[in-house]
Amino acid sequence: MKLFSKVARTGAGVFLLAATSWAAAQQASAQGALPPVFVLNSLDANVSVLDRATMSPKALIPTGKEPHHLYMTPDEKSIIVANAVGDSLTFIDPKTAQVQRTINNISDPYQLRFSPDMKWFVTAGNRLDHIDLYRWEPTNAAQPLQLAKRIPAGKTPSHITIDTKSSVVYGSLQDSDELIAIDLHTQAPRWRIPVGKMPADVYLTPDDRTLLVGLTGDEFVEAYDVSGAQPKLVKRIATGKGAHAFRTRGDGKHLFVSNRVANTISMIDTQALSVVTTFPAPGGPDCMELLSDGKTLLVSSRWARKVTVIDTETKQIVQQVAVGRSPHGIWTLDHASRR
């Protein structure tokens, strides 16, 4: 199949921008075979909708102020955009890109997660220093999210994750240099410990045993054994300056981490707890999404107003797509496994 390509020069060097053939891309788009890609533009208060076949912009969806993160519900029926300063959530159909609903009066939803059983919805209040636990009551059409507990946390709660049993929330407290664990059954903290500089994203291995934490203020990912009553630091993994966000490779064994300051992405073996490869990702790499082919990685280049498309097998940048200001969260229904 013939590829149309061109070369573009940016401040980070020369990249080959390759796209699928025009005919194949148009056919896929016309048939609606591929769901769109969603990219949050945090400083523009909107979402860029990209055509999956061509990775070209299709539409902009207005949101509340400062949408930073988004999350697909466990049933994959909605993408939820958390509008931190707008104190609201925007629900979007991941297939059609139509807005399903907006829920207001959600205090400072910077980061968000549903529990796997969809009984709990958790938000990290980045600017207001709290973590909120909501009960999900979908039969309540007017307000399906009922606040169960607001937990005061350290400075700047950043990222959260929930175990496979829907029993524990783990959160990073970015400006307190701490981690916190919250019991969903009691709605009370289990423990709170000091960690390295500026902890950001957190990832829990599928066996619920090892919690990895990206240290944006350093060049490490810290790994903790959280299987016991108290967490234990197992290893500090050197990745690159500004270790920040995670995305699994989808094989249950490897994890990508974006090193925002180093402008690289490292892949970690989650069993050996070591870096197996690193490749370039210009423009302040942040959030990532891995497509269903298992090799194409989409990266929000935070400082470059672009989405960077990387072939993880060749470690080459194959495309860059202009989006809005400060692109952050990125998701699509056409994704590899998140475990």
Side-chain angles (χ1 to χ4, degrees):
M1 180 182 295
K2 184 179 180 180
L3 298 181
F4 290 87
S5 63
K6 62 181 180 179
V7 173
R9 181 175 296 275
T10 71
V14 177
F15 305 117
L16 180 66
L17 308 185
T20 57
S21 75
W22 178 254
Q26 290 299 301
Q27 182 178 7
S29 298
Q31 293 176 345
L34 297 173
V37 175
F38 300 89
V39 185
L40 298 189
N41 302 312
S42 295
L43 295 183
D44 287 336
N46 60 33
V47 178
S48 287
V49 182
L50 306 182
D51 184 291
R52 166 65 184 82
T54 61
M55 286 302 294
S56 58
K58 290 177 60 178
L60 286 174
I61 302 174
T63 63
K65 291 182 179 179
E66 292 196 22
H68 287 286
H69 291 99
L70 68 169
Y71 187 71
M72 193 177 291
T73 56
D75 60 10
E76 297 202 333
K77 292 182 179 180
S78 300
I79 285 179
I80 308 176
V81 178
N83 308 307
V85 177
D87 293 336
S88 65
L89 303 170
T90 304
F91 285 63
I92 301 171
D93 187 310
K95 294 180 179 179
T96 66
Q98 297 299 307
V99 174
Q100 296 167 322
R101 67 183 304 170
T102 298
I103 298 179
N104 296 305
N105 301 315
I106 304 297
S107 179
D108 187 20
Y110 174 76
Q111 235 262 353
L112 68 164
R113 281 293 183 272
F114 254 111
S115 61
D117 62 8
M118 286 195 72
K119 293 181 179 179
W120 293 95
F121 183 76
V122 184
T123 62
N126 190 262
R127 76 181 192 278
L128 299 181
D129 298 338
H130 60 66
I131 294 175
D132 283 350
L133 310 181
Y134 293 89
R135 288 190 177 90
W136 175 245
E137 299 178 2
T139 57
N140 185 340
Q143 182 55 273
L145 291 174
Q146 301 296 320
L147 183 63
K149 190 70 174 289
R150 174 162 293 160
I151 299 174
K155 294 180 180 178
T156 323
S158 181
H159 289 64
I160 48 182
T161 191
I162 302 174
D163 70 343
T164 60
K165 302 179 183 67
S166 300
S167 60
V168 185
V169 177
Y170 298 96
S172 60
L173 309 177
Q174 181 176 305
D175 293 328
S176 293
D177 296 338
E178 293 177 301
L179 283 179
I180 189 171
I182 300 168
D183 191 307
L184 281 173
H185 299 301
T186 63
Q187 294 95 61
R190 283 190 176 184
W191 47 257
R192 186 167 151 183
I193 62 165
V195 295
K197 297 177 182 178
M198 292 183 66
D201 207 359
V202 286
Y203 170 77
L204 187 64
T205 54
D207 59 6
D208 291 335
R209 183 179 185 89
T210 306
L211 184 71
L212 290 97
V213 185
L215 301 181
T216 303
D218 212 322
E219 55 185 23
F220 297 96
V221 168
E222 290 185 336
Y224 290 85
D225 183 339
V226 293
S227 61
Q230 289 293 317
K232 297 179 181 179
L233 178 62
V234 177
K235 192 174 183 181
R236 300 186 88 209
I237 308 165
T239 60
K241 291 184 179 180
H244 187 72
F246 296 127
R247 177 55 166 96
T248 62
R249 191 184 182 187
D251 58 4
K253 298 178 181 179
H254 296 94
L255 183 70
F256 295 109
V257 56
S258 57
N259 306 307
R260 188 190 288 178
V261 179
N263 286 318
T264 60
I265 290 173
S266 299
M267 186 168 70
I268 296 171
D269 182 322
T270 56
Q271 297 174 345
L273 297 178
S274 60
V275 172
V276 295
T277 190
T278 297
F279 46 84
D286 201 305
C287 295
M288 296 169 285
E289 177 65 296
L290 185 67
L291 298 184
S292 59
D293 63 9
K295 69 172 186 176
T296 305
L297 192 67
L298 311 181
V299 185
S300 57
S301 297
R302 195 78 182 273
W303 300 333
R305 302 188 185 185
K306 294 179 181 178
V307 169
T308 299
V309 183
I310 300 174
D311 184 324
T312 59
E313 293 182 353
T314 65
K315 304 178 186 178
Q316 296 296 311
I317 296 166
V318 296
Q319 191 174 1
Q320 286 192 302
V321 183
V323 287
R325 292 184 299 164
S326 193
H328 206 164
I330 180 167
W331 287 69
T332 180
L333 195 60
D334 179 38
H335 63 81
S337 172
R338 304 193 193 282
R339 300 305 297 173

